[in-house]
Amino acid sequence: MNPFRLVETLRASRWGVLLDLVFYTVLLVLIAASLGNKNIGSNESAINFEYRVF
Amino acid sequence: MDLLEPIVAVAILGLIYSTIGALWRLRGELAMLFTLGASLAAIVAFHYIEPRLLGFIVALFIAFAWLSRGARQGAGASLLFALYLLIWFIYKYPNDLAAFVPALHPVSARLTDIIKPFGFLGVSYVGFKLIHFYVDRRDGKHADATVLSVVAWLLFVPSLVGGPIHRYQEWRRDWPLASDVENNIAEGTKRIIVGLFKVTVVGASISGLSIAGLTDYQLSSVGIGTLALGIVAYTVSLYFNFAGYTDIAIGIGRYWNQSLPENFNFPFFRRNLQEFWKNWHMSLIDFLREYVFTRIVYSLSGKDFFSPKSLMPASIGLLATFLTAAVWHKFNVGYLLWGLTNAGGLIFLLFLQRTKAISRSKFMKWWTTSPIGYVVSVLLTFVFVNATCLFIALSDMRLAILFNRLRS
């Protein structure tokens, strides 16, 4: 089965909430673990360069 | 982290706003006033615009919106529009121009001193909105716009600093406040988490490898493989950072019941430069297409000196569009080269598409339908985009160091 379709089917089922909960919790844990990364907002970060032109 | 903290704070404010708006069942002008108040509170609290300057900007926008009411826009609106453009350009360009013409340095320094108090983060994006509204009003659109609605839209905080460029008709479409607050908060929160992930986890990890982070000495000494990796890392991290911030802005917009336009749609999986530009920084490209490209092509197409099938009007339009995009970013050699190479690539593509012997050949039919053709096209487009990004990843001086090294 197509993996994308499988995910969509699961998300539409009663397991969807649980799937979302696990997915977004994993993302949040990874975000929290990365907050010390010095490249966030550093001069080398491309967005900061873009930010200056805004 | 300097950009991330205020964005997260605005998101929290948006949540409070959304909840209070729902509890009080705000509708119509009262809801609009509440939105403007919340935007102003966020702007002041997070120092997006200094309070005194904010007073000036709000007064300017109120006067502009007032003079834009009714069937025809008043002449005063044109004056105020020109004043904003003047502030925007003097805030952005004197230093760039002085870098080209050193004799301008004392003038640019003086101008910068005068105009500095009038500049603020987001001056460009608010400027785009102002151009959109001003030109549309000249075309007879948005005749029913109220002063409150226009000012609340111009200062709408989720898209104030870095877009996406939010059109007035999109803003009006999403009013009044929806009753589906729970869904807005859930979907908005998911989008913000995805955006934060792109910025803090993916973008920040890749940007450590970016060519922009190499020292001058490294630029002239590291291997070609490292340089190539550095360019790819720059382009990909630019995507993840910018797409991430757009996700966050769109997510916060949902808290305020606004569906901000999308900016990115898998641009690196596109099979040619034309498709790439239809899916990269889409709100800016749509803006430039409507207010630069289409208007130039339309005005040139009827002229006698171009044959009906001539590529010239579209080519001139593409060149003007990408030079405008380049100069908006920065007035320097690197950005001009970036604009010229992208316009050149698109004009070449247009030539291929209009040449029937090529576009209708058996090879092209196979190429556009086969998986091999798709994969190779995507790779070639990616390489081209990265090559043009090299011009903007480095300052002119560092670009010269790199070219000297590649030449020797």
Side-chain angles (χ1 to χ4, degrees), chain B residues 61 81 84-85 88 120 122-133 154 287:
Chain B
F61 288 170
F81 174 66
Y84 187 89
L85 291 189
W88 178 10
F120 62 93
V123 66
S124 293
Y125 279 94
V126 176
F128 285 136
K129 283 186 185 177
L130 212 60
I131 292 173
H132 148 69
F133 188 79
L154 284 169
F287 175 89

Side-chain angles (χ1 to χ4, degrees), chain B residues 213-329:
Chain B
L214 296 181
T215 62
D216 292 357
Y217 175 73
Q218 286 171 323
L219 272 181
S220 54
S221 60
V222 295
I224 296 295
T226 310
L227 287 176
L229 182 70
I231 298 166
V232 172
Y234 174 83
T235 312
V236 176
S237 70
L238 178 64
Y239 166 76
F240 276 105
N241 277 309
F242 202 179
Y245 279 111
T246 302
D247 285 337
I248 296 168
I250 290 172
I252 298 173
R254 284 297 294 266
Y255 289 167
W256 304 59
N257 191 48
Q258 284 288 322
S259 299
L260 295 174
E262 296 291 336
N263 254 350
F264 297 93
N265 185 19
F266 301 101
F268 295 137
F269 295 98
R270 302 297 162 181
R271 58 188 314 151
N272 62 42
L273 196 60
Q274 218 171 42
E275 286 190 19
F276 172 83
W277 279 113
K278 281 180 186 166
N279 295 284
W280 175 280
H281 204 170
M282 287 144 70
S283 66
L284 175 68
I285 296 302
D286 283 348
F287 175 89
L288 292 174
R289 185 185 297 123
E290 187 170 342
Y291 296 105
V292 182
F293 179 78
T294 309
R295 279 161 200 268
I296 288 176
V297 173
Y298 184 75
S299 63
L300 290 176
S301 292
K303 307 290 181 223
D304 292 339
F305 44 86
F306 294 124
S307 73
K309 289 183 178 175
S310 172
L311 286 179
M312 280 307 280
S315 303
I316 294 170
L318 283 169
L319 201 61
T321 303
F322 274 88
L323 288 179
T324 306
V327 171
W328 167 63
H329 279 95

